[in-house]
Amino acid sequence: MSTVPTVYDVAGQAGVSIATVSRVYRTPESVRAETRERVLEAARELGYLPSGSARGLASRSTGVPGLCFPDYSDPDAESEAGVADEEAAMLYSDQIIRGMER
């Protein structure tokens, strides 16, 4: 069973630290051309692709917006206006979601 190559695998094959591998992908101009090419070649040979999830965990920021809406189907959340109020809220939520998608 094959495993997905990691930054550790690339660093080992290229003979550099994991910090250098990270710099090659984040700020390539900060790494000497010879070292950068060695890291990129090792990554190609291994089939390494940087993980967006890992980057998000390390930086504590994914850049993905999140949406929270109340559960309009919850009978405890219904107002006196009833169904009309619920339908208006759903339409408003749909507009917000469509706007964010655009």
Side-chain angles (χ1 to χ4, degrees), residues 20-63:
T20 300
V21 174
S22 178
R23 278 195 306 276
V24 165
Y25 284 97
R26 293 181 68 89
T27 55
E29 67 281 352
S30 70
V31 181
R32 287 190 335 225
E34 175 186 313
T35 304
R36 184 173 54 241
E37 189 50 46
R38 195 167 70 232
V39 169
L40 293 173
E41 180 60 30
R44 277 190 292 273
E45 288 175 8
L46 293 169
Y48 171 76
L49 293 172
S51 167
S53 298
R55 181 174 290 165
L57 285 171
S59 68
R60 295 185 174 191
S61 173
T62 62

Side-chain angles (χ1 to χ4, degrees), residues 4-100:
V4 176
T6 66
V7 67
Y8 297 98
D9 299 325
V10 174
Q13 183 151 333
V16 298
S17 69
I18 60 168
T20 300
V21 174
S22 178
R23 278 195 306 276
V24 165
Y25 284 97
R26 293 181 68 89
T27 55
E29 67 281 352
S30 70
V31 181
R32 287 190 335 225
E34 175 186 313
T35 304
R36 184 173 54 241
E37 189 50 46
R38 195 167 70 232
V39 169
L40 293 173
E41 180 60 30
R44 277 190 292 273
E45 288 175 8
L46 293 169
Y48 171 76
L49 293 172
S51 167
S53 298
R55 181 174 290 165
L57 285 171
S59 68
R60 295 185 174 191
S61 173
T62 62
V64 177
L67 296 174
C68 295
F69 291 102
D71 182 3
Y72 296 111
S73 64
D74 182 1
D76 294 333
E78 285 188 26
S79 69
E80 304 251 338
V83 177
D85 193 34
E86 182 177 325
E87 289 174 3
M90 291 301 289
L91 290 173
Y92 178 69
S93 300
D94 290 341
Q95 289 175 355
I96 292 173
I97 293 168
R98 275 191 242 120
M100 289 187 72

